[in-house]
Amino acid sequence: MRFFRRSLIALGVAATLPTLLFTAVAIFYFLRTERTQVETATLGRSFNIVTLSDAALRGDLGALSVLTASSFFDTQDWRTFYPRVQRILKANPQWATLRLFDLEKGEEIFDLRRPFGAPRPATLPDAQVAGLLTDSTDLVIGDVLRDPEPLIYLYVPVRREEPVRHVLAAAIRPQVFQDILATQVAAGTVAALVDRNGNFLARSLDSEQFIGRPATHSMRDAIGSGKQGFYAGVTPEGLKNYTAFYTSAWSGWSAHVTIASALIDSSISWSFFVAAVAGLGAALLAALLVVLVVRDMTERRNAEEALRQSQKMEAVGKLTGGIAHDFNNLLTAIIGNLDMIRSRVEGNVRLQRLSDNALEAARRGAKITAQLLAFSRNQRMQLKPVDLIALFDGMSGLLRQSIGPAIEVQVEISPDARFVLSDANQLELAVLNLAVNARDAMTNGGKLHISSRPATRLDARDLPRRPYVELRVMDTGTGMSEEVLARAMEPFFTTKQVGQGTGLGLSQVYGIARESGGTLFIESEAGRGTTVRMVLPAAQAPQTPEPALAGASDSPTVPASSNGREVAILVVDDDRHVRRFVCESLGNLGYSVVETISGAAALEAMRERRFDLLVADYAMPGMNGIEVARAAQRQQPGIHVLIISGYAQSAAVEAALGTGRLLKKPFDVTELAIAVKEVLQPQ
């Protein structure tokens, strides 16, 4: 019996030892893999910070490049140019000021922080920049300066003559890069953005104390050692850490994200510790390890799928912004031709009804294009009074189509909570997001109740003192548990199946509410539905609009030219459909029209005869519309200019127009006729 017991013990030990060894080896490699994954994820965050920072700089460079193409650098009419540049400053809140310098005279022509006046002697804020503005340089990024607040200057040369004479400088607040850090690293993580000279641009901890100061020696040594990697160091707070860094080849800026030393160094120590205690319960530890590994792999797979899905949505957003011009070209041709058809079938009720239906559908297409631009973030939020009654009347069809017939929709807008300060397109997108979330929570049907009322002081306690409106979206769906509710507004968090949601809906709604000057509250309980309350600034009712303009059949009369002859108009557009619609519309209005397909062809036509008006598309291959307009005004001084464009950055185009006028796509015959008359006969 004793032998039998010893045999069982020996058999148990023999069976336990391989299990113990296998468990220890498995845990060792698991912890080593965890270390590699932590390092890879941290390096990825460094790459994301640099990529987003470069994207912000490239966006600023794009806006500045449009300004440097302005005709004012030919006329040097700085007094007129000054207020136009002020509009660009308002459209770019991350800019503290715009300054224009004359390197030849050593003068500052203007600084938007002070009223326009006579130029004053001044040099560039970064003295070494003047020597860097070579023939091939499009942008020079300066150091962090205190002027008096910390600012980063971007210098763009104006290429009209050689050597470069004028330089446009934009002062960027470091807060924009501080915000990028905040979105990419968790709270309490030490991260920093450093310029090419090794000075802090932004830091997740004590940013005001460090911005503009030299980075640590370990940071500077790492920047000089290569493009990316890891290094050991100590933060100014005394925290020992490993730091992942990535350096941009374009800007020279580098992002540094720390990992606590214990998270890396303890991996191997823990593996030996686990091996030592594995003998106390090898089978239990092995089973527990399998459960943890499977759970970890599942969560990681779900997170990777959510990330891939969010990247797809981001790519869709960029694509919608990039093809906005093509959509607007198509809609311009469709709306314009339908408008002409409608004016020519008077008396035919059936054809008029069909053309009206088609025209309404085309205008809805234009509205959807504007919503796509809002989704792609190619349009900044334009805060203005929004009539909630008009908003829900306009989107009622789209709202009901999005949630389906099984859900009952009720909309109640209080008369004393009717107007809010927001962006109509963005607010409509937020409501649709909330409606789709409510639909997914009511798989068997239910009720969706949307209402507004004046917000109480308790709801707006953390906001500036002013009147607010609460827009409430309430459903009778499944509701949320406390755990889900606590994370509902986190980006990428979703309870939907993979491929059915990105987890960006509620975070986007929260962002819209905050950008409008308000906030967002969510109240929910499992089995009792969800109520989302958007608190938005209240707005005054807008002025009563003037009576609508006459239709296409009552278009403005055709003015004669200064010598009494027929008005001659030159149209240049690379899109055949838009060009044909514009030419036919102007011809029907009684103008003499010549059409061309490019800027070069337009200038060739101007050598053969004189024109009163140039109508040019902005985005064309070769010369864009503004370049064509500048060349045309040099060739035929006094010619009027009308630019038509579906380009998203319309504020920058307007600033570069000079004395011309901008007509945004899509437009109909009436809008075209009025714009032409206003250009030919300015008030």
Side-chain angles (χ1 to χ4, degrees):
M1 190 68 176
R2 182 178 300 174
F3 176 79
F4 181 70
R5 290 179 180 176
R6 290 177 179 174
S7 298
L8 288 178
I9 294 173
L11 182 62
V13 171
T16 301
L17 287 176
T19 304
L20 177 62
L21 179 61
F22 173 81
T23 302
V25 172
I27 292 178
F28 176 83
Y29 281 100
F30 172 76
L31 292 174
R32 188 172 180 178
T33 302
E34 283 289 307
R35 171 180 173 172
T36 302
Q37 290 174 342
V38 169
E39 293 175 347
T40 302
T42 308
L43 189 61
R45 282 193 286 272
S46 301
F47 172 80
N48 289 342
I49 292 170
V50 169
T51 301
L52 293 173
S53 300
D54 279 2
L57 290 175
R58 290 182 189 275
D60 295 331
L61 173 61
L64 289 173
S65 297
V66 172
L67 282 177
T68 59
S70 172
S71 60
F72 287 103
F73 288 99
D74 296 321
T75 63
Q76 296 191 15
D77 182 8
W78 308 126
R79 184 172 295 278
T80 306
F81 187 50
Y82 180 87
R84 293 178 179 271
V85 178
Q86 282 184 313
R87 287 163 35 193
I88 297 299
L89 184 64
K90 292 180 180 178
N92 293 272
Q94 74 275 19
W95 293 0
T97 185
L98 279 169
R99 302 170 69 180
L100 180 61
F101 295 90
D102 188 331
L103 300 183
E104 181 179 304
K105 295 182 178 180
E107 295 178 341
E108 181 187 74
I109 299 173
F110 62 73
D111 182 343
L112 295 187
R113 292 176 295 187
R114 58 185 174 88
F116 182 83
R120 62 178 186 177
T123 59
L124 300 180
D126 296 85
Q128 76 280 8
V129 167
L132 300 177
L133 295 170
T134 63
D135 294 343
S136 61
T137 301
D138 294 325
L139 170 70
V140 175
I141 305 172
D143 297 327
V144 180
L145 303 175
R146 293 195 175 271
D147 191 24
E149 64 176 318
L151 297 175
I152 304 167
Y153 277 89
L154 306 183
Y155 303 91
V156 176
V158 179
R159 304 217 174 267
R160 291 290 193 280
E161 54 192 13
E162 299 298 338
V164 172
R165 178 178 177 181
H166 294 103
V167 175
L168 192 62
I172 310 299
R173 295 186 176 92
Q175 184 61 43
V176 64
F177 306 109
Q178 195 71 31
D179 294 341
I180 291 175
L181 283 183
T183 62
Q184 294 299 314
V185 299
T189 300
V190 180
L193 187 65
V194 178
D195 68 14
R196 65 173 70 242
N197 296 320
N199 298 318
F200 284 111
L201 295 167
R203 195 171 186 269
S204 60
L205 297 180
D206 299 326
S207 59
E208 296 181 359
Q209 177 183 350
F210 286 92
I211 290 178
R213 287 178 50 186
T216 62
H217 291 294
S218 56
M219 285 184 172
R220 290 168 173 260
D221 294 340
I223 295 172
S225 66
K227 181 180 179 181
Q228 64 181 15
F230 282 85
Y231 61 90
V234 179
T235 67
E237 292 84 1
L239 174 66
K240 292 184 178 181
N241 63 83
Y242 289 93
T243 302
F245 77 96
Y246 187 91
T247 304
S248 167
W250 178 71
S251 65
W253 291 5
S254 60
H256 304 252
V257 181
T258 64
I259 315 171
S261 297
L263 193 61
I264 300 297
D265 295 336
S266 62
S267 298
I268 298 177
S269 300
W270 271 106
S271 65
F272 287 108
F273 173 77
V274 171
V277 300
L280 300 176
L284 180 61
L285 288 177
L288 180 60
L289 177 63
V290 170
V291 171
L292 293 176
V293 170
V294 170
R295 180 182 299 177
D296 182 71
M297 291 175 60
T298 302
E299 291 179 354
R300 290 181 183 277
R301 186 165 54 249
N302 292 340
E304 289 171 358
E305 284 296 328
L307 179 60
R308 279 195 290 269
Q309 189 73 8
S310 68
Q311 290 172 338
K312 284 199 303 183
M313 297 302 294
E314 182 180 358
V316 170
K318 292 180 179 178
L319 178 63
T320 57
I323 64 176
H325 180 265
D326 293 333
F327 271 122
N328 283 326
N329 277 344
L330 294 174
L331 291 169
T332 298
I334 293 171
I335 291 174
N337 285 283
L338 286 172
D339 196 21
M340 289 192 292
I341 291 173
R342 182 176 176 275
S343 65
R344 296 181 183 183
V345 294
E346 294 183 0
N348 190 326
V349 177
R350 183 171 180 272
L351 286 180
Q352 273 198 325
R353 185 176 67 254
L354 293 176
S355 61
D356 285 343
N357 291 340
L359 190 59
E360 180 183 355
R363 294 190 187 281
R364 287 184 60 191
K367 186 175 182 181
I368 292 173
T369 301
Q371 292 171 343
L372 290 175
L373 283 173
F375 172 76
S376 69
R377 300 294 185 184
N378 277 338
Q379 289 180 326
R380 301 183 186 274
M381 286 190 66
Q382 300 177 357
L383 300 181
K384 58 182 64 175
V386 177
D387 185 346
L388 294 180
I389 293 180
L391 180 78
F392 285 105
D393 286 345
M395 65 178 296
S396 59
L398 181 61
L399 182 63
R400 295 185 183 278
Q401 183 179 3
S402 300
I403 63 177
I407 297 175
E408 179 185 347
V409 181
Q410 295 179 345
V411 179
E412 296 180 6
I413 304 301
S414 174
D416 53 351
R418 175 176 176 178
F419 296 95
V420 298
L421 187 65
S422 186
D423 183 296
N425 287 330
Q426 297 279 17
L427 185 57
E428 185 172 317
L429 182 64
V431 173
L432 283 176
N433 269 330
L434 296 177
V436 170
N437 282 349
R439 177 202 65 190
D440 294 341
M442 296 185 288
T443 55
N444 297 321
K447 292 183 179 181
L448 178 65
H449 185 252
I450 303 174
S451 62
S452 74
R453 65 175 181 84
T456 64
R457 183 57 200 162
L458 183 63
D459 292 332
R461 58 185 178 275
D462 296 327
L463 301 174
R465 296 186 65 87
R466 59 171 299 173
Y468 290 88
V469 169
E470 179 187 280
L471 181 61
R472 178 175 298 192
V473 180
M474 182 170 56
D475 65 63
T476 58
T478 56
M480 307 181 201
S481 64
E482 292 184 2
E483 294 79 8
V484 172
L485 182 60
R487 302 182 60 192
M489 287 187 287
E490 292 182 10
F492 308 123
F493 175 75
T494 180
T495 57
K496 299 177 183 178
Q497 297 294 326
V498 175
Q500 297 182 4
T502 63
L504 293 172
L506 283 174
S507 62
Q508 190 174 26
V509 174
Y510 175 75
I512 292 171
R514 295 298 296 178
E515 288 186 44
S516 299
T519 188
L520 187 74
F521 299 101
I522 304 177
E523 299 171 354
S524 185
E525 186 177 345
R528 294 183 177 272
T530 300
T531 299
V532 179
R533 299 186 293 124
M534 291 184 70
V535 178
L536 302 171
Q540 297 293 329
Q543 297 286 337
T544 303
E546 297 179 0
L549 295 170
S553 59
D554 299 325
S555 299
T557 56
V558 178
S561 63
S562 59
N563 57 9
R565 63 176 172 80
E566 189 177 26
V567 174
I569 300 178
L570 177 61
V571 177
V572 52
D573 196 314
D574 61 310
D575 189 283
R576 177 171 59 90
H577 300 289
V578 176
R579 187 176 66 251
R580 181 182 300 171
F581 155 63
V582 172
C583 292
E584 185 171 346
S585 299
L586 295 176
N588 292 339
L589 292 169
Y591 296 102
S592 173
V593 183
V594 174
E595 62 175 288
T596 55
I597 64 173
S598 67
L603 297 178
E604 182 65 29
M606 294 181 67
R607 295 188 183 97
E608 300 176 0
R609 61 177 293 187
R610 182 165 184 83
F611 293 93
D612 300 286
L613 173 65
L614 170 68
V615 179
D617 184 31
Y618 173 73
M620 296 185 295
M623 302 173 67
N624 63 38
I626 293 178
E627 293 170 339
V628 175
R630 282 206 309 268
Q633 289 173 335
R634 288 194 297 266
Q635 191 168 325
Q636 293 187 6
I639 188 172
H640 299 284
V641 175
L642 174 63
I643 299 294
I644 56 178
S645 175
Y647 185 56
Q649 291 286 352
S650 56
V653 176
E654 288 178 359
L657 270 177
T659 58
R661 187 187 188 282
L662 177 66
L663 177 61
K664 297 180 183 179
K665 298 177 183 179
F667 52 83
D668 56 23
V669 177
T670 301
E671 293 168 330
L672 175 62
I674 292 172
V676 169
K677 182 178 179 183
E678 289 178 352
V679 173
L680 292 173
Q681 294 182 342
Q683 298 296 324

